[in-house]
Amino acid sequence: MALYYDSPSRTFNEYLLVPGYSSAECIPDNVSLQTAVTRYRAGEAPAVTMNIPLVSAVMQSVSDDKMAVALAKEGGIAFLFGSQSIENQAEMVRRVKRHKAGFVSSESNVRPDQTVADILELKEKTGHSTVAVTHDGTASGKFLGLVTSWDYRPSRMDPNTPVSEFMTPLEDLIHAKEGVTLKEANDIIWGNKLNALPVLDKKGRLISFVFRKDYDRHKANPQELLDTDKSYIVGAGVNTIDYKERIPALVEAGVDVLCIDSSEGYTEWQKLVLDFVRETYGDEVKIGAGNVVDRDGFRFLAEAGADFIKVGIGGGAICITREAKGIGRGQATAVIEVAKARDQYFKETGIYVPICSDGGIVHDHHVTLALAMGADFCMLGRYFARFDESPGRRVMVNGSYMKEYWGEGSNRARNWERYDSGGDKKLTFEEGVDSYVPYAGSLGDNVALTLAKMRSTMCNCGALTVTELQEKARLTLVSSVSIVEGGAHDVVLKDQTGQN
């Protein structure tokens, strides 16, 4: 006979946190959101930690190298989507790792034989006013000079004028050599009143730029997530099909942490991937697995050697797995049970395996609820898809700006590897939709607001760390009437112009 669970499957929206005693130290500025990403033994430190408990989803419409840099600046990790060629994904990793804090790989480059028209077209495409001139027009070519908006006047120049005639040549530029530190580079910039400092290798090839404008940005990002070489930390998704080729390529490119991207993780396929990683790299390569929704799934992947385990099936905004297949579980219930299993596993073995809540986040406070229920960090798709830094196009829909957002289980993504169970190399049916989400602006501004809300809520609970929140949190179920009561009610709301 089938097993029936006695209690219903709950969502985050059905819970509220009950305030606890707050000492005078409980102010937002004292709250630390640092959290473990990978497994560790009692008394030891995890190999990978984050400064904020947010990672971006392994999705085409969410996580590319631009998102990875932007999120690392805020203290989180992006997991680059795996539904692309191995070569393209590995190159994305390399681009992120080359983008050291304060050192920017050039995205606007031309050859000396190109023209004013080419410069204007490139500026329209990238928005950059500083353009590197290299012998082959690439970001790593031999550096010949620089073009800025001071070097040309489109209204008074022939569009066919070669770049070589108006660029500032290398001999007239101050530059730095490979190995210069960020402090030394900034000293050169300020001492010589420069806007941009090219950094060249011994052969004169362009490595990166350091910009004056990035100095303030760097100071404004004290939570930046960096490795020992001052490069941004980046993750990447892998599948259970081509992992023997994909994982070595990503490791060689410098990826910091991997994640098996699958709709369901309680399978032998995932164990085979974890076995391959452990046999090939030991504990050197960090890899998460999932997704699971109960104790048994967690235990299976923890014993198989997963460094972290993702929790959630069917709760994503664009996921229709529950509708299409009738399988899944309410996200709150899943997190609560898996967290209990995680704690029991830690008690038995002395090994702590972090869990990631993936899906079901609608409001900012749902992240705090997930952490209180035991999650170590949350993976978000819809949330990050709304920002400038996501790969989706910004479009006008019914008078409002929107961003494109599509699921990995949709035909648009064509990510059959994520849902494969040994069948044909195609999606038999869809488990995700193609949609729009409201455009929300820059990642930095929005993440700052979300974190401010989280810190305030944690103070209300008397907690200054994620671990303390999990220990002190008190949660209550809410009725449908209570949910209505929690929002604005029994008033006539003003419109956006402030008029009734």
Side-chain angles (χ1 to χ4, degrees):
M1 180 178 177
L3 171 66
Y4 292 85
Y5 289 89
D6 295 330
S7 56
S9 187
R10 304 285 188 181
T11 68
F12 292 134
N13 227 31
E14 297 176 80
Y15 286 90
L16 284 175
L17 283 158
V18 176
Y21 170 74
S22 299
S23 69
E25 292 183 351
C26 283
I27 59 174
D29 285 346
N30 290 339
V31 172
S32 169
L33 293 174
Q34 190 175 74
T35 190
V37 177
T38 56
R39 67 161 57 204
Y40 61 92
R41 291 188 175 276
E44 298 179 356
V48 181
T49 61
M50 289 189 296
N51 293 326
I52 64 172
L54 303 178
V55 300
S56 65
V58 191
M59 300 174 68
Q60 293 177 8
S61 56
V62 178
S63 297
D64 62 0
D65 50 300
K66 186 177 181 181
M67 174 62 70
V69 170
L71 186 49
K73 286 181 178 180
E74 303 301 325
I77 296 175
F79 283 87
L80 303 175
F81 70 92
S83 48
Q84 58 179 317
S85 71
I86 295 173
E87 293 75 16
N88 286 349
Q89 191 183 22
E91 180 55 31
M92 273 193 182
V93 171
R94 280 190 284 268
R95 285 201 294 270
V96 177
K97 300 308 289 185
R98 286 196 299 262
H99 197 128
K100 292 189 177 184
F103 293 87
V104 181
S105 295
S106 180
E107 296 180 359
S108 296
N109 312 283
V110 294
R111 301 184 310 276
D113 61 338
Q114 290 183 266
T115 65
V116 171
D118 293 321
I119 291 285
L120 295 176
E121 182 180 351
L122 187 61
K123 185 176 180 180
E124 178 68 23
K125 180 181 178 181
T126 66
H128 300 154
S129 58
T130 299
V131 179
V133 184
T134 60
H135 81 288
D136 59 359
T138 68
S140 58
K142 186 175 181 180
F143 185 71
L144 303 177
L146 201 63
V147 173
T148 71
S149 56
W150 297 98
D151 293 316
Y152 62 96
R153 295 185 68 179
S155 62
R156 297 191 178 186
M157 294 177 69
D158 183 338
N160 295 315
T161 303
V163 168
S164 58
E165 292 187 12
F166 60 88
M167 72 180 191
T168 302
L170 173 60
E171 53 266 29
D172 294 335
L173 291 169
I174 295 173
H175 66 277
K177 296 181 179 180
E178 183 178 13
V180 66
T181 67
L182 185 58
K183 182 181 184 304
E184 291 169 343
N186 281 318
D187 287 343
I188 295 172
I189 287 173
W190 290 96
N192 294 277
K193 299 181 180 180
L194 306 176
N195 288 320
L197 177 70
V199 180
L200 312 181
D201 68 11
K202 293 179 180 179
K203 296 182 178 181
R205 293 175 300 196
L206 180 62
I207 297 176
S208 61
F209 279 106
V210 178
F211 292 99
R212 172 187 288 262
K213 64 183 180 180
D214 286 339
Y215 177 82
D216 291 333
R217 291 180 183 176
H218 176 65
K219 292 296 183 182
N221 291 300
Q223 299 278 56
E224 283 182 317
L225 197 60
L226 307 172
D227 63 19
T228 55
D229 292 325
K230 302 298 183 182
S231 295
Y232 291 116
I233 287 179
V234 61
V238 299
N239 59 59
T240 59
I241 307 299
D242 63 10
Y243 60 93
K244 291 184 179 179
E245 295 77 38
R246 188 175 294 270
I247 290 176
L250 295 173
V251 171
E252 191 276 331
V255 73
D256 296 283
V257 58
L258 300 169
C259 178
I260 304 174
D261 180 37
S262 176
S263 62
E264 209 277 293
Y266 192 6
T267 70
E268 184 178 1
W269 304 108
Q270 295 222 357
K271 185 178 185 303
L272 291 173
V273 177
L274 295 170
D275 287 345
F276 168 77
V277 170
R278 296 299 169 234
E279 290 168 4
T280 307
Y281 303 101
D283 292 330
E284 181 181 348
V285 169
K286 305 302 178 182
I287 181 168
N291 288 19
V292 300
V293 293
D294 62 5
R295 174 192 179 280
D296 294 340
F298 169 85
R299 194 87 187 192
F300 173 78
L301 291 176
E303 292 175 350
D307 283 296
F308 67 86
I309 295 172
K310 287 204 297 165
V311 181
I313 294 176
I318 41 69
C319 182
I320 56 172
T321 294
R322 297 178 193 174
E323 180 181 329
K325 296 170 61 176
I327 193 167
R329 202 175 195 187
Q331 189 66 9
T333 300
V335 170
I336 291 169
E337 179 173 325
V338 173
K340 289 179 180 177
R342 185 266 322 280
D343 293 344
Q344 181 62 34
Y345 186 78
F346 180 54
K347 183 178 179 180
E348 293 176 10
T349 66
I351 299 173
Y352 188 92
V353 182
I355 62 174
C356 167
S357 178
D358 178 17
I361 302 293
V362 179
H363 304 293
D364 288 346
H365 74 269
H366 287 171
V367 177
T368 317
L369 281 169
L371 298 178
M373 291 173 180
D376 296 278
F377 55 99
C378 294
M379 178 171 279
L380 307 173
R382 180 196 61 85
Y383 177 87
F384 287 113
R386 303 173 301 147
F387 304 147
D388 290 320
E389 294 81 0
S390 73
R393 291 186 306 156
R394 189 180 74 166
V395 296
M396 183 74 76
V397 179
N398 296 328
S400 299
Y401 279 115
M402 311 288 281
K403 289 277 286 189
E404 292 182 317
Y405 180 45
W406 61 96
E408 290 300 296
S410 67
N411 277 319
R412 178 172 180 176
R414 299 184 181 278
N415 188 6
W416 66 271
E417 295 96 335
R418 188 178 198 273
Y419 300 88
D420 178 70
S421 296
D424 294 334
K425 295 183 179 182
K426 63 181 181 180
L427 283 176
T428 306
F429 54 88
E430 290 187 290
E431 292 186 45
V433 298
D434 196 345
S435 64
Y436 298 108
V437 289
Y439 168 66
S442 73
L443 180 146
D445 291 342
N446 283 276
V447 167
L449 179 60
T450 297
L451 299 180
K453 293 178 182 178
M454 291 173 60
R455 291 187 176 101
S456 180
T457 302
M458 289 172 65
C459 287
N460 293 147
C461 296
L464 293 177
T465 66
V466 173
T467 301
E468 197 173 6
L469 176 66
Q470 293 168 350
E471 294 171 350
K472 292 185 175 181
R474 298 183 297 166
L475 296 108
T476 180
L477 280 167
V478 295
S479 67
S480 59
V481 178
S482 180
I483 293 173
V484 173
E485 181 186 61
H489 61 89
D490 299 314
V491 294
V492 178
L493 295 177
K494 295 180 179 180
D495 62 22
Q496 292 183 347
T497 62
Q499 302 296 318
N500 287 344

